[in-house]
Amino acid sequence: MAEDRNTGGRTGETTGPRILPMRAADRGQLLALNNDHAAELSLLDAAAFERLTANAFHARQTDDASGLVVAFDETGDYQSPNFLWFKERYERFVYVDRVVVAPAARGRGLARALYDSVFAAAEAAGTPRIVCEINLAPPNPGSIRFHEALEFRQVGTATLDGGAKTVGYYERLR
């Protein structure tokens, strides 16, 4: 995997969850974690996962590979309709494409630590907004509560997949 273009984040801290650049040795475990949550994220093969993380502005994992985050900035070569929605509207942003934590590792603050690493990277890059989408239909109230607690607010919606899915677009200004 290519190294992240930004070294911001919590990689040097000794307390709390350790968040670090994605390690090649953990690639298989991280891909399996992603694919275990394909309904919320997207099913990827090894080559697609490698491309995704290599082209990301920010790709990090927990030290035990039980969680990951992948984010793109506005210069990203990424064709997701959700990313493109933000690109049409904002000059500068960091788009959080996916954050996932294994069920057995939840409740340890890992998702928050992964997001904190994105916030630090965005701040270091001078980027004013962090954005993401959250499923509204099928509903994901836990994710909405989590993001609202991180000071995200809804700024739009879209219906995707021929009406099978509705997402809310959220932003957090730093």
Side-chain angles (χ1 to χ4, degrees):
M1 285 181 195
E3 187 168 318
D4 197 335
R5 293 185 306 198
N6 189 303
T7 58
R10 299 164 53 118
T11 59
E13 292 186 9
T14 56
T15 60
R18 286 194 58 232
I19 307 301
L20 51 134
M22 288 189 174
R23 298 181 295 219
D26 294 328
R27 187 176 303 134
Q29 184 177 343
L30 295 170
L31 175 59
L33 177 62
N34 179 90
N35 288 344
D36 286 347
H37 297 85
E40 299 87 1
L41 305 173
S42 61
L43 188 67
L44 299 173
D45 63 21
F49 187 71
E50 172 66 23
R51 274 191 309 278
L52 181 82
T53 57
N55 290 322
F57 164 77
H58 188 76
R60 292 287 190 264
Q61 70 173 76
T62 59
D63 59 350
D64 63 357
S66 64
L68 68 92
V69 62
V70 178
F72 293 88
D73 69 7
E74 71 282 346
T75 67
D77 181 15
Y78 193 44
Q79 297 306 306
S80 157
N82 299 315
F83 172 79
L84 295 174
W85 188 93
F86 290 110
K87 191 166 182 151
E88 290 171 3
R89 287 161 177 80
Y90 299 126
E91 185 177 322
R92 303 241 9 246
F93 62 90
V94 171
Y95 168 71
V96 179
D97 181 62
R98 61 196 65 222
V99 173
V100 63
V101 174
R106 292 183 185 154
R108 296 180 6 213
L110 299 179
R112 175 62 194 238
L114 289 162
Y115 258 102
D116 284 347
S117 76
V118 173
F119 299 154
E123 184 171 345
T127 304
R129 75 178 23 94
I130 297 89
V131 298
C132 66
E133 88 280 346
I134 302 170
N135 290 346
L136 301 178
N140 193 344
S143 184
I144 293 170
R145 284 190 303 274
F146 174 77
H147 285 86
E148 287 176 348
L150 292 178
E151 300 179 0
F152 280 85
R153 66 179 183 90
Q154 189 172 348
V155 294
T157 59
T159 301
L160 308 170
D161 301 333
K165 181 178 183 179
T166 301
V167 297
Y169 293 121
Y170 285 74
E171 77 171 355
R172 172 187 160 149
L173 300 175
R174 54 170 199 92

